[in-house]
PDB file of all heavy atoms in Angstrom:
ATOM      1  N   ASN A  31      17.954  -4.680  12.249  1.00 95.00           N
ATOM      2  CA  ASN A  31      19.078  -4.844  13.156  1.00 95.00           C
ATOM      3  C   ASN A  31      18.822  -6.026  14.086  1.00 95.00           C
ATOM      4  O   ASN A  31      17.742  -6.159  14.656  1.00 95.00           O
ATOM      5  CB  ASN A  31      19.264  -3.554  13.970  1.00 95.00           C
ATOM      6  CG  ASN A  31      20.344  -3.686  15.006  1.00 95.00           C
ATOM      7  OD1 ASN A  31      20.085  -4.205  16.081  1.00 95.00           O
ATOM      8  ND2 ASN A  31      21.528  -3.231  14.680  1.00 95.00           N
ATOM      9  N   LYS A  32      19.820  -6.889  14.235  1.00 96.00           N
ATOM     10  CA  LYS A  32      19.692  -8.092  15.073  1.00 96.00           C
ATOM     11  C   LYS A  32      19.209  -7.763  16.483  1.00 96.00           C
ATOM     12  O   LYS A  32      18.256  -8.373  16.984  1.00 96.00           O
ATOM     13  CB  LYS A  32      21.031  -8.811  15.123  1.00 96.00           C
ATOM     14  CG  LYS A  32      21.136  -9.887  16.189  1.00 96.00           C
ATOM     15  CD  LYS A  32      22.491 -10.560  16.201  1.00 96.00           C
ATOM     16  CE  LYS A  32      23.611  -9.629  16.555  1.00 96.00           C
ATOM     17  NZ  LYS A  32      24.924 -10.311  16.638  1.00 96.00           N
ATOM     18  N   TRP A  33      19.842  -6.802  17.147  1.00 97.00           N
ATOM     19  CA  TRP A  33      19.493  -6.524  18.540  1.00 97.00           C
ATOM     20  C   TRP A  33      18.115  -5.894  18.653  1.00 97.00           C
ATOM     21  O   TRP A  33      17.387  -6.143  19.620  1.00 97.00           O
ATOM     22  CB  TRP A  33      20.561  -5.658  19.207  1.00 97.00           C
ATOM     23  CG  TRP A  33      21.875  -6.381  19.299  1.00 97.00           C
ATOM     24  CD1 TRP A  33      23.063  -5.992  18.764  1.00 97.00           C
ATOM     25  CD2 TRP A  33      22.144  -7.631  19.963  1.00 97.00           C
ATOM     26  NE1 TRP A  33      24.054  -6.917  19.044  1.00 97.00           N
ATOM     27  CE2 TRP A  33      23.510  -7.923  19.781  1.00 97.00           C
ATOM     28  CE3 TRP A  33      21.354  -8.524  20.679  1.00 97.00           C
ATOM     29  CZ2 TRP A  33      24.097  -9.083  20.291  1.00 97.00           C
ATOM     30  CZ3 TRP A  33      21.952  -9.676  21.188  1.00 97.00           C
ATOM     31  CH2 TRP A  33      23.315  -9.941  21.001  1.00 97.00           C
ATOM     32  N   SER A  34      17.709  -5.099  17.679  1.00 97.00           N
ATOM     33  CA  SER A  34      16.360  -4.533  17.696  1.00 97.00           C
ATOM     34  C   SER A  34      15.316  -5.638  17.586  1.00 97.00           C
ATOM     35  O   SER A  34      14.350  -5.668  18.345  1.00 97.00           O
ATOM     36  CB  SER A  34      16.165  -3.546  16.541  1.00 97.00           C
ATOM     37  OG  SER A  34      16.967  -2.418  16.694  1.00 97.00           O
ATOM     38  N   ALA A  35      15.522  -6.531  16.618  1.00 97.00           N
ATOM     39  CA  ALA A  35      14.580  -7.626  16.412  1.00 97.00           C
ATOM     40  C   ALA A  35      14.485  -8.512  17.640  1.00 97.00           C
ATOM     41  O   ALA A  35      13.385  -8.949  18.023  1.00 97.00           O
ATOM     42  CB  ALA A  35      14.991  -8.445  15.191  1.00 97.00           C
ATOM     43  N   LEU A  36      15.615  -8.761  18.296  1.00 97.00           N
ATOM     44  CA  LEU A  36      15.606  -9.600  19.488  1.00 97.00           C
ATOM     45  C   LEU A  36      15.002  -8.876  20.690  1.00 97.00           C
ATOM     46  O   LEU A  36      14.266  -9.487  21.480  1.00 97.00           O
ATOM     47  CB  LEU A  36      17.022 -10.081  19.800  1.00 97.00           C
ATOM     48  CG  LEU A  36      17.609 -11.065  18.784  1.00 97.00           C
ATOM     49  CD1 LEU A  36      19.075 -11.358  19.104  1.00 97.00           C
ATOM     50  CD2 LEU A  36      16.790 -12.344  18.715  1.00 97.00           C
ATOM     51  N   ALA A  37      15.284  -7.593  20.838  1.00 98.00           N
ATOM     52  CA  ALA A  37      14.705  -6.826  21.955  1.00 98.00           C
ATOM     53  C   ALA A  37      13.185  -6.757  21.813  1.00 98.00           C
ATOM     54  O   ALA A  37      12.452  -6.952  22.804  1.00 98.00           O
ATOM     55  CB  ALA A  37      15.301  -5.422  22.005  1.00 98.00           C
ATOM     56  N   ILE A  38      12.703  -6.495  20.622  1.00 98.00           N
ATOM     57  CA  ILE A  38      11.257  -6.450  20.404  1.00 98.00           C
ATOM     58  C   ILE A  38      10.651  -7.812  20.717  1.00 98.00           C
ATOM     59  O   ILE A  38       9.609  -7.910  21.376  1.00 98.00           O
ATOM     60  CB  ILE A  38      10.937  -5.995  18.957  1.00 98.00           C
ATOM     61  CG1 ILE A  38      11.256  -4.502  18.810  1.00 98.00           C
ATOM     62  CG2 ILE A  38       9.480  -6.277  18.600  1.00 98.00           C
ATOM     63  CD1 ILE A  38      11.199  -3.981  17.391  1.00 98.00           C
ATOM     64  N   GLY A  39      11.304  -8.869  20.291  1.00 97.00           N
ATOM     65  CA  GLY A  39      10.812 -10.220  20.586  1.00 97.00           C
ATOM     66  C   GLY A  39      10.765 -10.515  22.070  1.00 97.00           C
ATOM     67  O   GLY A  39       9.806 -11.093  22.573  1.00 97.00           O
ATOM     68  N   ALA A  40      11.806 -10.111  22.785  1.00 98.00           N
ATOM     69  CA  ALA A  40      11.848 -10.348  24.229  1.00 98.00           C
ATOM     70  C   ALA A  40      10.745  -9.584  24.956  1.00 98.00           C
ATOM     71  O   ALA A  40      10.230 -10.054  25.963  1.00 98.00           O
ATOM     72  CB  ALA A  40      13.222  -9.960  24.794  1.00 98.00           C
ATOM     73  N   LEU A  41      10.384  -8.432  24.425  1.00 98.00           N
ATOM     74  CA  LEU A  41       9.361  -7.597  25.064  1.00 98.00           C
ATOM     75  C   LEU A  41       7.935  -7.991  24.662  1.00 98.00           C
ATOM     76  O   LEU A  41       6.964  -7.432  25.190  1.00 98.00           O
ATOM     77  CB  LEU A  41       9.611  -6.126  24.755  1.00 98.00           C
ATOM     78  CG  LEU A  41      10.851  -5.538  25.415  1.00 98.00           C
ATOM     79  CD1 LEU A  41      11.172  -4.156  24.827  1.00 98.00           C
ATOM     80  CD2 LEU A  41      10.668  -5.455  26.927  1.00 98.00           C
ATOM     81  N   GLU A  42       7.800  -8.942  23.747  1.00 96.00           N
ATOM     82  CA  GLU A  42       6.455  -9.379  23.329  1.00 96.00           C
ATOM     83  C   GLU A  42       5.649  -9.920  24.506  1.00 96.00           C
ATOM     84  O   GLU A  42       4.424  -9.777  24.521  1.00 96.00           O
ATOM     85  CB  GLU A  42       6.557 -10.481  22.259  1.00 96.00           C
ATOM     86  CG  GLU A  42       6.788  -9.977  20.879  1.00 96.00           C
ATOM     87  CD  GLU A  42       6.809 -11.106  19.879  1.00 96.00           C
ATOM     88  OE1 GLU A  42       7.763 -11.926  19.917  1.00 96.00           O
ATOM     89  OE2 GLU A  42       5.886 -11.181  19.063  1.00 96.00           O
ATOM     90  N   ASP A  43       6.307 -10.555  25.453  1.00 92.00           N
ATOM     91  CA  ASP A  43       5.596 -11.169  26.578  1.00 92.00           C
ATOM     92  C   ASP A  43       5.290 -10.200  27.703  1.00 92.00           C
ATOM     93  O   ASP A  43       4.655 -10.566  28.676  1.00 92.00           O
ATOM     94  CB  ASP A  43       6.407 -12.352  27.131  1.00 92.00           C
ATOM     95  CG  ASP A  43       6.495 -13.488  26.122  1.00 92.00           C
ATOM     96  OD1 ASP A  43       5.570 -13.635  25.312  1.00 92.00           O
ATOM     97  OD2 ASP A  43       7.507 -14.222  26.139  1.00 92.00           O
ATOM     98  N   GLY A  44       5.764  -8.957  27.603  1.00 96.00           N
ATOM     99  CA  GLY A  44       5.454  -7.982  28.622  1.00 96.00           C
ATOM    100  C   GLY A  44       6.653  -7.157  29.056  1.00 96.00           C
ATOM    101  O   GLY A  44       7.723  -7.182  28.453  1.00 96.00           O
ATOM    102  N   VAL A  45       6.457  -6.461  30.147  1.00 97.00           N
ATOM    103  CA  VAL A  45       7.436  -5.511  30.683  1.00 97.00           C
ATOM    104  C   VAL A  45       8.678  -6.239  31.206  1.00 97.00           C
ATOM    105  O   VAL A  45       8.577  -7.271  31.857  1.00 97.00           O
ATOM    106  CB  VAL A  45       6.787  -4.704  31.832  1.00 97.00           C
ATOM    107  CG1 VAL A  45       7.784  -3.768  32.479  1.00 97.00           C
ATOM    108  CG2 VAL A  45       5.562  -3.953  31.330  1.00 97.00           C
ATOM    109  N   LEU A  46       9.856  -5.666  30.896  1.00 97.00           N
ATOM    110  CA  LEU A  46      11.112  -6.197  31.411  1.00 97.00           C
ATOM    111  C   LEU A  46      11.989  -5.041  31.890  1.00 97.00           C
ATOM    112  O   LEU A  46      11.995  -3.964  31.290  1.00 97.00           O
ATOM    113  CB  LEU A  46      11.877  -6.963  30.322  1.00 97.00           C
ATOM    114  CG  LEU A  46      11.304  -8.295  29.855  1.00 97.00           C
ATOM    115  CD1 LEU A  46      12.124  -8.842  28.697  1.00 97.00           C
ATOM    116  CD2 LEU A  46      11.263  -9.300  30.991  1.00 97.00           C
ATOM    117  N   ARG A  47      12.732  -5.304  32.945  1.00 96.00           N
ATOM    118  CA  ARG A  47      13.756  -4.362  33.386  1.00 96.00           C
ATOM    119  C   ARG A  47      14.985  -4.534  32.504  1.00 96.00           C
ATOM    120  O   ARG A  47      15.138  -5.549  31.818  1.00 96.00           O
ATOM    121  CB  ARG A  47      14.152  -4.642  34.830  1.00 96.00           C
ATOM    122  CG  ARG A  47      13.065  -4.334  35.833  1.00 96.00           C
ATOM    123  CD  ARG A  47      13.608  -4.551  37.212  1.00 96.00           C
ATOM    124  NE  ARG A  47      12.598  -4.382  38.235  1.00 96.00           N
ATOM    125  CZ  ARG A  47      12.857  -4.395  39.524  1.00 96.00           C
ATOM    126  NH1 ARG A  47      14.088  -4.577  39.962  1.00 96.00           N
ATOM    127  NH2 ARG A  47      11.883  -4.242  40.402  1.00 96.00           N
ATOM    128  N   PHE A  48      15.873  -3.538  32.559  1.00 95.00           N
ATOM    129  CA  PHE A  48      17.080  -3.551  31.730  1.00 95.00           C
ATOM    130  C   PHE A  48      17.874  -4.843  31.929  1.00 95.00           C
ATOM    131  O   PHE A  48      18.261  -5.499  30.971  1.00 95.00           O
ATOM    132  CB  PHE A  48      17.954  -2.323  32.012  1.00 95.00           C
ATOM    133  CG  PHE A  48      19.146  -2.237  31.110  1.00 95.00           C
ATOM    134  CD1 PHE A  48      19.051  -1.559  29.906  1.00 95.00           C
ATOM    135  CD2 PHE A  48      20.352  -2.816  31.459  1.00 95.00           C
ATOM    136  CE1 PHE A  48      20.142  -1.475  29.052  1.00 95.00           C
ATOM    137  CE2 PHE A  48      21.441  -2.741  30.609  1.00 95.00           C
ATOM    138  CZ  PHE A  48      21.341  -2.070  29.404  1.00 95.00           C
ATOM    139  N   GLY A  49      18.134  -5.200  33.183  1.00 94.00           N
ATOM    140  CA  GLY A  49      18.925  -6.395  33.470  1.00 94.00           C
ATOM    141  C   GLY A  49      18.268  -7.661  32.966  1.00 94.00           C
ATOM    142  O   GLY A  49      18.946  -8.574  32.468  1.00 94.00           O
TER     143      GLY A  49
END
Side-chain angles (χ1 to χ4, degrees):
N31 175 278
K32 167 180 64 177
W33 295 121
S34 294
L36 292 173
I38 289 171
L41 291 169
E42 279 182 292
D43 294 331
V45 177
L46 290 175
R47 292 184 184 186
F48 185 89

